[in-house]
Amino acid sequence: MLAGGTGAEPAKGDGNGSPAKYPAWMEQLPDDIKGNPDKAAKLAQFAKIGDLAGRYAELAEAAERSVVIPDDKTSDGDRQAFWRRLGRPDKPDGYSFDDADGKLRQLAYDSNLTDEQAKKIFGALKDMGVDYVRGQEAAKKQLLETTDAALRKEYGSRYTEKIRMLKKGIDAHGGNELGRVLQESGVLYHPAVVKLFIALGESGSEPRQPLKNEGQADTYVPTSQGGSFKFKGLTGAKT
């Protein structure tokens, strides 16, 4: 019997051969519980049934807030519920960051990101992209200035004529479109490329036929005036 009443005998003693003493309220338990030494010992920690009820309520509330990590046996519905519980929006358009075509929102949703996580990640990537472009532009400007200074030093009074040959070489081997690509990429600002097209211009190659509405003026705009190796006839720039 449980000490202090009738029922199943406790399986554990106090270590000296005496039967363990359990709270009287445990007499109300079914035999399969109070007759189980491990279960009885755990329940005996609560002196009053009200203590047990209070602890149960606490555990039940904690269980409602807890989440079970999905495994390979978890159903898709439970898996989706898990990610929603962690903070992922119900739909891709539930994210609050700007995304013109929705591709980033879909990526964030497929990656099970919370709104806060997605904003931080894509915001950081955007900043990195802006910094990269600025760095590229700064590097291109530096290369232009360095090459321009080197050409002026090398050619001296022949500088302007050499640049006219540069334009002639580009006109003869690609024209406006090639010139635009070379300038936007910064390739035109490499000394070796500049000298290549100067040589092509000096070789006597005739410029290719101009496209419709293409400017024909060959006025050179010096880099000191913001020209950046640009010419009216090459890029359509107005000066």
Coordinates of all heavy atoms in Angstrom, one line a residue, residues 121-190:
I121 N 19.2 40.3 -45.3 CA 20.0 39.7 -46.3 C 20.0 40.4 -47.6 O 21.1 40.8 -48.2 CB 19.6 38.2 -46.5 CG1 19.9 37.4 -45.3 CG2 20.3 37.6 -47.7 CD1 19.4 36.0 -45.3
F122 N 18.8 40.7 -48.2 CA 18.8 41.4 -49.5 C 19.2 42.8 -49.4 O 19.7 43.4 -50.3 CB 17.4 41.2 -50.1 CG 17.0 39.8 -50.4 CD1 16.0 39.1 -49.9 CD2 17.9 39.1 -51.3 CE1 15.7 37.8 -50.2 CE2 17.6 37.7 -51.6 CZ 16.5 37.1 -51.0
G123 N 19.0 43.4 -48.2 CA 19.4 44.8 -48.0 C 20.9 44.9 -48.1 O 21.5 45.8 -48.7
A124 N 21.6 43.9 -47.4 CA 23.0 43.8 -47.4 C 23.6 43.6 -48.8 O 24.6 44.2 -49.2 CB 23.5 42.8 -46.4
L125 N 22.9 42.7 -49.5 CA 23.4 42.4 -50.9 C 23.2 43.6 -51.8 O 24.1 43.8 -52.7 CB 22.6 41.2 -51.5 CG 22.8 39.8 -50.9 CD1 21.9 38.8 -51.4 CD2 24.3 39.4 -51.1
K126 N 22.2 44.3 -51.6 CA 22.0 45.5 -52.4 C 23.1 46.6 -52.1 O 23.6 47.2 -53.1 CB 20.6 46.2 -52.1 CG 20.3 47.4 -52.9 CD 18.9 48.0 -52.5 CE 18.6 49.2 -53.3 NZ 17.3 49.8 -52.9
D127 N 23.4 46.7 -50.9 CA 24.4 47.7 -50.5 C 25.8 47.2 -51.1 O 26.6 48.0 -51.5 CB 24.6 47.8 -49.0 CG 23.4 48.5 -48.4 OD1 22.7 49.2 -49.1 OD2 23.1 48.3 -47.1
M128 N 26.0 45.9 -51.0 CA 27.3 45.4 -51.6 C 27.3 45.6 -53.1 O 28.4 46.0 -53.6 CB 27.4 43.9 -51.3 CG 27.6 43.5 -49.9 SD 27.4 41.8 -49.5 CE 28.7 41.1 -50.6
G129 N 26.2 45.5 -53.8 CA 26.2 45.8 -55.2 C 26.4 47.2 -55.5 O 27.2 47.5 -56.5
V130 N 25.8 48.1 -54.7 CA 26.1 49.5 -54.9 C 27.5 49.9 -54.7 O 28.1 50.6 -55.5 CB 25.2 50.4 -54.0 CG1 25.6 51.8 -54.0 CG2 23.7 50.2 -54.4
D131 N 28.1 49.3 -53.6 CA 29.5 49.6 -53.3 C 30.4 49.1 -54.5 O 31.4 49.7 -54.8 CB 29.9 48.9 -52.0 CG 29.2 49.6 -50.8 OD1 28.8 50.8 -51.0 OD2 29.2 49.0 -49.7
Y132 N 30.0 47.9 -55.0 CA 30.8 47.3 -56.1 C 30.8 48.2 -57.3 O 31.9 48.5 -57.9 CB 30.3 45.9 -56.4 CG 31.0 45.3 -57.6 CD1 32.2 44.7 -57.4 CD2 30.4 45.3 -58.9 CE1 32.9 44.1 -58.5 CE2 31.1 44.7 -60.0 CZ 32.3 44.1 -59.8 OH 33.0 43.6 -60.9
V133 N 29.6 48.7 -57.7 CA 29.5 49.5 -58.9 C 30.3 50.8 -58.6 O 31.0 51.3 -59.5 CB 28.0 49.9 -59.2 CG1 27.9 50.9 -60.2 CG2 27.3 48.6 -59.6
R134 N 30.2 51.4 -57.5 CA 30.9 52.6 -57.2 C 32.4 52.4 -57.3 O 33.2 53.2 -57.8 CB 30.6 53.1 -55.8 CG 29.2 53.7 -55.7 CD 28.8 54.1 -54.3 NE 27.5 54.7 -54.2 CZ 26.9 55.0 -53.1 NH1 27.4 54.7 -51.9 NH2 25.7 55.6 -53.1
G135 N 32.8 51.2 -56.7 CA 34.3 50.9 -56.8 C 34.7 50.7 -58.2 O 35.8 51.2 -58.6
Q136 N 33.9 50.1 -59.1 CA 34.3 49.9 -60.5 C 34.4 51.2 -61.2 O 35.3 51.4 -62.0 CB 33.2 49.0 -61.2 CG 33.2 47.6 -60.7 CD 34.5 46.8 -61.1 OE1 35.4 46.7 -60.4 NE2 34.5 46.3 -62.3
E137 N 33.4 52.1 -60.9 CA 33.4 53.4 -61.5 C 34.7 54.2 -61.1 O 35.3 54.9 -61.9 CB 32.1 54.2 -61.2 CG 30.9 53.6 -61.9 CD 31.0 53.7 -63.4 OE1 31.5 54.7 -64.0 OE2 30.7 52.7 -64.1
A138 N 35.0 54.1 -59.8 CA 36.1 54.8 -59.3 C 37.4 54.3 -59.9 O 38.3 55.1 -60.3 CB 36.2 54.7 -57.8
A139 N 37.5 53.0 -60.1 CA 38.7 52.4 -60.7 C 38.8 52.7 -62.1 O 39.9 53.0 -62.6 CB 38.6 50.8 -60.5
K140 N 37.7 52.8 -62.8 CA 37.7 53.2 -64.2 C 38.1 54.6 -64.4 O 38.9 54.9 -65.3 CB 36.3 53.0 -64.8 CG 36.2 53.2 -66.3 CD 34.9 52.6 -66.9 CE 33.7 53.4 -66.4 NZ 32.4 52.9 -67.0
K141 N 37.6 55.5 -63.5 CA 38.0 56.9 -63.6 C 39.5 57.1 -63.3 O 40.2 57.8 -64.0 CB 37.2 57.7 -62.5 CG 37.5 59.2 -62.5 CD 36.7 59.9 -61.5 CE 37.0 61.4 -61.5 NZ 36.3 62.1 -60.5
Q142 N 40.0 56.3 -62.3 CA 41.4 56.4 -62.0 C 42.3 55.9 -63.2 O 43.3 56.5 -63.5 CB 41.7 55.5 -60.8 CG 43.2 55.5 -60.3 CD 43.7 56.9 -60.0 OE1 43.0 57.6 -59.2 NE2 44.8 57.3 -60.5
L143 N 41.8 54.8 -63.8 CA 42.6 54.3 -65.0 C 42.6 55.3 -66.1 O 43.6 55.5 -66.8 CB 42.0 53.0 -65.4 CG 42.6 52.3 -66.7 CD1 44.1 52.0 -66.4 CD2 41.8 51.1 -67.0
L144 N 41.4 55.9 -66.3 CA 41.3 56.9 -67.4 C 42.3 58.1 -67.1 O 43.0 58.5 -68.0 CB 39.9 57.5 -67.4 CG 39.7 58.8 -68.2 CD1 40.0 58.6 -69.7 CD2 38.3 59.3 -68.0
E145 N 42.3 58.6 -65.9 CA 43.2 59.7 -65.6 C 44.6 59.3 -65.7 O 45.4 60.1 -66.2 CB 42.8 60.2 -64.2 CG 41.5 60.8 -64.0 CD 41.1 61.2 -62.6 OE1 41.9 60.8 -61.7 OE2 40.1 61.8 -62.4
T146 N 45.0 58.1 -65.3 CA 46.4 57.7 -65.3 C 46.8 57.5 -66.8 O 47.9 58.0 -67.2 CB 46.5 56.3 -64.6 OG1 46.2 56.5 -63.2 CG2 48.0 55.9 -64.7
T147 N 45.9 56.9 -67.6 CA 46.3 56.7 -69.0 C 46.4 58.0 -69.8 O 47.3 58.2 -70.6 CB 45.2 55.8 -69.7 OG1 45.2 54.5 -69.0 CG2 45.5 55.6 -71.1
D148 N 45.4 58.9 -69.5 CA 45.4 60.2 -70.2 C 46.7 61.0 -69.8 O 47.3 61.5 -70.7 CB 44.2 61.0 -69.7 CG 44.1 62.3 -70.4 OD1 44.0 62.3 -71.7 OD2 44.1 63.4 -69.8
A149 N 47.1 60.9 -68.6 CA 48.3 61.6 -68.2 C 49.6 61.0 -68.9 O 50.5 61.7 -69.3 CB 48.5 61.6 -66.7
A150 N 49.6 59.7 -69.0 CA 50.7 59.0 -69.6 C 50.8 59.3 -71.1 O 51.8 59.5 -71.7 CB 50.6 57.5 -69.4
L151 N 49.6 59.4 -71.8 CA 49.6 59.6 -73.2 C 50.0 61.1 -73.5 O 50.7 61.3 -74.4 CB 48.2 59.4 -73.7 CG 47.7 58.0 -73.7 CD1 46.2 57.9 -74.2 CD2 48.5 57.1 -74.6
R152 N 49.6 62.0 -72.6 CA 49.9 63.4 -72.8 C 51.5 63.5 -72.7 O 52.1 64.3 -73.4 CB 49.2 64.3 -71.8 CG 47.7 64.5 -72.1 CD 47.1 65.3 -71.0 NE 45.6 65.4 -71.2 CZ 45.1 66.3 -72.1 NH1 45.8 67.1 -72.8 NH2 43.8 66.3 -72.2
K153 N 52.0 62.8 -71.7 CA 53.5 62.9 -71.5 C 54.2 62.3 -72.6 O 55.2 62.8 -73.1 CB 53.8 62.2 -70.2 CG 55.3 62.2 -69.8 CD 55.6 61.5 -68.5 CE 57.0 61.6 -68.2 NZ 57.3 60.9 -66.9
E154 N 53.7 61.1 -73.1 CA 54.4 60.4 -74.2 C 54.3 61.2 -75.6 O 55.3 61.3 -76.3 CB 53.8 59.0 -74.4 CG 54.4 58.2 -75.5 CD 53.9 56.8 -75.6 OE1 53.2 56.4 -74.7 OE2 54.2 56.1 -76.6
Y155 N 53.1 61.7 -75.9 CA 52.8 62.3 -77.2 C 53.1 63.8 -77.2 O 53.3 64.4 -78.3 CB 51.4 62.0 -77.6 CG 51.2 60.5 -77.9 CD1 50.0 59.9 -77.4 CD2 52.1 59.7 -78.6 CE1 49.8 58.6 -77.6 CE2 51.8 58.4 -78.8 CZ 50.7 57.8 -78.3 OH 50.5 56.5 -78.5
G156 N 53.0 64.4 -76.1 CA 53.2 65.9 -76.1 C 52.3 66.6 -77.0 O 51.1 66.5 -76.9
S157 N 52.9 67.4 -77.9 CA 52.1 68.3 -78.8 C 51.4 67.4 -79.8 O 50.4 67.9 -80.5 CB 53.1 69.2 -79.6 OG 54.0 68.5 -80.3
R158 N 51.7 66.1 -80.0 CA 51.0 65.2 -80.9 C 49.8 64.6 -80.3 O 49.1 63.8 -80.9 CB 52.0 64.2 -81.4 CG 53.1 64.7 -82.2 CD 54.1 63.6 -82.6 NE 54.6 62.9 -81.4 CZ 55.0 61.7 -81.3 NH1 54.9 60.9 -82.4 NH2 55.5 61.2 -80.2
Y159 N 49.5 64.9 -79.0 CA 48.5 64.2 -78.2 C 47.1 64.3 -78.9 O 46.4 63.3 -79.2 CB 48.3 64.8 -76.8 CG 47.2 64.3 -76.0 CD1 47.3 63.1 -75.3 CD2 46.0 65.0 -75.9 CE1 46.3 62.6 -74.5 CE2 45.0 64.5 -75.1 CZ 45.1 63.3 -74.5 OH 44.1 62.8 -73.7
T160 N 46.7 65.5 -79.3 CA 45.4 65.7 -79.9 C 45.3 64.9 -81.2 O 44.2 64.2 -81.5 CB 45.1 67.1 -80.2 OG1 45.0 67.8 -79.0 CG2 43.7 67.3 -80.9
E161 N 46.3 64.9 -82.1 CA 46.3 64.2 -83.3 C 46.2 62.7 -83.1 O 45.6 61.9 -83.8 CB 47.5 64.5 -84.2 CG 47.6 63.9 -85.5 CD 46.3 64.1 -86.4 OE1 45.7 65.2 -86.2 OE2 46.0 63.3 -87.2
K162 N 46.9 62.2 -82.1 CA 46.9 60.8 -81.7 C 45.5 60.3 -81.3 O 45.1 59.3 -81.7 CB 47.9 60.5 -80.6 CG 49.4 60.6 -81.0 CD 49.8 59.5 -82.0 CE 51.3 59.5 -82.3 NZ 51.7 58.4 -83.2
I163 N 44.8 61.2 -80.6 CA 43.5 60.9 -80.1 C 42.5 60.9 -81.3 O 41.6 60.1 -81.4 CB 43.0 61.8 -79.0 CG1 43.9 61.7 -77.8 CG2 41.5 61.6 -78.7 CD1 43.9 60.3 -77.2
R164 N 42.8 61.7 -82.3 CA 42.0 61.7 -83.5 C 42.2 60.4 -84.3 O 41.3 59.8 -84.9 CB 42.4 62.9 -84.4 CG 41.9 64.2 -83.9 CD 42.2 65.4 -84.9 NE 42.0 66.7 -84.3 CZ 40.8 67.2 -84.3 NH1 39.7 66.6 -84.7 NH2 40.6 68.4 -83.7
M165 N 43.4 59.9 -84.2 CA 43.7 58.6 -84.9 C 43.0 57.5 -84.1 O 42.6 56.5 -84.7 CB 45.2 58.3 -84.9 CG 45.9 59.2 -85.9 SD 45.4 59.0 -87.6 CE 44.3 60.5 -87.8
L166 N 42.9 57.6 -82.8 CA 42.2 56.6 -82.0 C 40.7 56.6 -82.4 O 40.2 55.5 -82.6 CB 42.3 57.1 -80.5 CG 41.3 56.4 -79.5 CD1 41.6 54.9 -79.4 CD2 41.3 57.0 -78.2
K167 N 40.1 57.7 -82.6 CA 38.7 57.8 -83.1 C 38.6 57.2 -84.5 O 37.7 56.4 -84.8 CB 38.2 59.2 -83.1 CG 36.8 59.3 -83.7 CD 36.5 60.8 -84.0 CE 35.1 60.8 -84.6 NZ 35.0 60.2 -85.9
K168 N 39.6 57.5 -85.3 CA 39.5 56.9 -86.7 C 39.6 55.4 -86.7 O 38.9 54.7 -87.4 CB 40.7 57.5 -87.5 CG 40.7 57.1 -89.0 CD 41.8 57.7 -89.7 CE 41.8 57.2 -91.2 NZ 43.0 57.8 -91.9
G169 N 40.5 54.9 -85.8 CA 40.6 53.5 -85.7 C 39.3 52.8 -85.2 O 38.9 51.7 -85.7
I170 N 38.7 53.4 -84.2 CA 37.4 52.8 -83.7 C 36.3 52.9 -84.8 O 35.5 52.0 -85.0 CB 37.0 53.6 -82.4 CG1 38.0 53.3 -81.3 CG2 35.6 53.2 -82.0 CD1 37.7 54.0 -80.0
D171 N 36.3 54.1 -85.5 CA 35.3 54.3 -86.6 C 35.4 53.2 -87.6 O 34.4 52.7 -88.2 CB 35.4 55.6 -87.2 CG 34.7 56.7 -86.4 OD1 34.0 56.4 -85.5 OD2 35.0 57.9 -86.6
A172 N 36.7 52.9 -87.9 CA 36.9 51.9 -89.0 C 36.7 50.5 -88.6 O 36.5 49.6 -89.5 CB 38.4 52.0 -89.5
H173 N 36.6 50.2 -87.3 CA 36.5 48.8 -86.9 C 35.3 48.6 -85.9 O 35.5 47.8 -84.9 CB 37.8 48.3 -86.3 CG 38.9 48.4 -87.2 ND1 39.2 47.3 -88.1 CD2 39.9 49.3 -87.5 CE1 40.2 47.6 -88.9 NE2 40.7 48.8 -88.5
G174 N 34.2 49.3 -86.1 CA 33.1 49.1 -85.2 C 32.2 50.3 -85.0 O 31.0 50.2 -84.7
G175 N 32.8 51.5 -85.0 CA 32.1 52.7 -84.9 C 31.4 52.9 -83.5 O 32.0 52.5 -82.5
N176 N 30.3 53.6 -83.5 CA 29.7 54.0 -82.3 C 29.4 52.9 -81.3 O 29.7 53.1 -80.1 CB 28.3 54.7 -82.6 CG 28.5 56.1 -83.0 OD1 29.6 56.6 -83.2 ND2 27.4 56.8 -83.2
E177 N 28.9 51.8 -81.8 CA 28.6 50.7 -80.8 C 29.8 50.2 -80.2 O 29.8 49.9 -78.9 CB 27.8 49.6 -81.6 CG 27.4 48.4 -80.7 CD 26.4 48.8 -79.6 OE1 25.8 49.9 -79.7 OE2 26.3 48.1 -78.6
L178 N 30.9 50.0 -80.9 CA 32.1 49.5 -80.3 C 32.7 50.5 -79.4 O 33.1 50.2 -78.3 CB 33.1 49.2 -81.4 CG 34.5 48.8 -81.0 CD1 34.5 47.5 -80.1 CD2 35.5 48.7 -82.1
G179 N 32.6 51.8 -79.8 CA 33.1 52.8 -78.9 C 32.4 52.9 -77.6 O 33.0 53.1 -76.5
R180 N 31.0 52.7 -77.7 CA 30.2 52.8 -76.5 C 30.6 51.6 -75.5 O 30.8 51.8 -74.3 CB 28.7 52.7 -76.8 CG 27.8 52.7 -75.6 CD 26.4 52.5 -76.0 NE 26.2 51.1 -76.6 CZ 26.1 50.0 -75.8 NH1 26.2 50.1 -74.5 NH2 25.9 48.9 -76.4
V181 N 30.7 50.4 -76.1 CA 31.1 49.2 -75.3 C 32.4 49.4 -74.6 O 32.6 49.1 -73.5 CB 31.0 48.0 -76.1 CG1 31.6 46.8 -75.3 CG2 29.6 47.7 -76.6
L182 N 33.4 49.9 -75.4 CA 34.8 50.0 -74.9 C 34.8 51.1 -73.8 O 35.5 50.9 -72.8 CB 35.7 50.5 -76.1 CG 36.0 49.4 -77.1 CD1 36.8 50.0 -78.3 CD2 36.7 48.2 -76.5
Q183 N 34.0 52.1 -73.9 CA 34.1 53.2 -72.9 C 33.3 52.8 -71.7 O 33.8 52.9 -70.5 CB 33.5 54.5 -73.5 CG 34.4 55.1 -74.5 CD 33.8 56.5 -75.0 OE1 34.2 57.5 -74.5 NE2 32.9 56.4 -75.9
E184 N 32.1 52.2 -71.8 CA 31.3 51.8 -70.7 C 32.0 50.7 -69.9 O 31.9 50.7 -68.6 CB 29.9 51.3 -71.1 CG 29.1 52.4 -71.6 CD 27.7 52.0 -72.0 OE1 27.4 50.7 -71.9 OE2 26.8 52.8 -72.4
S185 N 32.7 49.8 -70.5 CA 33.4 48.7 -69.8 C 34.8 49.2 -69.2 O 35.3 48.6 -68.3 CB 33.7 47.6 -70.8 OG 34.6 48.0 -71.8
G186 N 35.3 50.3 -69.7 CA 36.5 50.8 -69.2 C 37.7 50.3 -70.0 O 38.9 50.7 -69.8
V187 N 37.4 49.4 -71.0 CA 38.5 48.7 -71.7 C 39.3 49.8 -72.5 O 40.5 49.7 -72.7 CB 37.9 47.6 -72.7 CG1 39.0 47.1 -73.6 CG2 37.4 46.5 -71.8
L188 N 38.6 50.8 -73.1 CA 39.2 51.8 -73.9 C 40.2 52.6 -73.1 O 41.1 53.2 -73.7 CB 38.1 52.8 -74.4 CG 38.6 53.9 -75.4 CD1 39.2 53.3 -76.6 CD2 37.5 54.8 -75.8
Y189 N 40.2 52.6 -71.8 CA 41.1 53.4 -71.0 C 42.4 52.7 -70.7 O 43.3 53.2 -70.0 CB 40.4 53.8 -69.7 CG 39.1 54.5 -69.9 CD1 38.0 54.3 -69.0 CD2 38.9 55.3 -71.0 CE1 36.8 55.0 -69.2 CE2 37.7 55.9 -71.2 CZ 36.6 55.8 -70.3 OH 35.5 56.4 -70.6
H190 N 42.6 51.5 -71.2 CA 43.8 50.8 -71.0 C 44.8 51.3 -72.1 O 44.5 51.3 -73.3 CB 43.7 49.2 -71.1 CG 43.0 48.6 -69.9 ND1 43.7 48.1 -68.9 CD2 41.7 48.5 -69.6 CE1 42.8 47.7 -68.0 NE2 41.6 47.9 -68.4

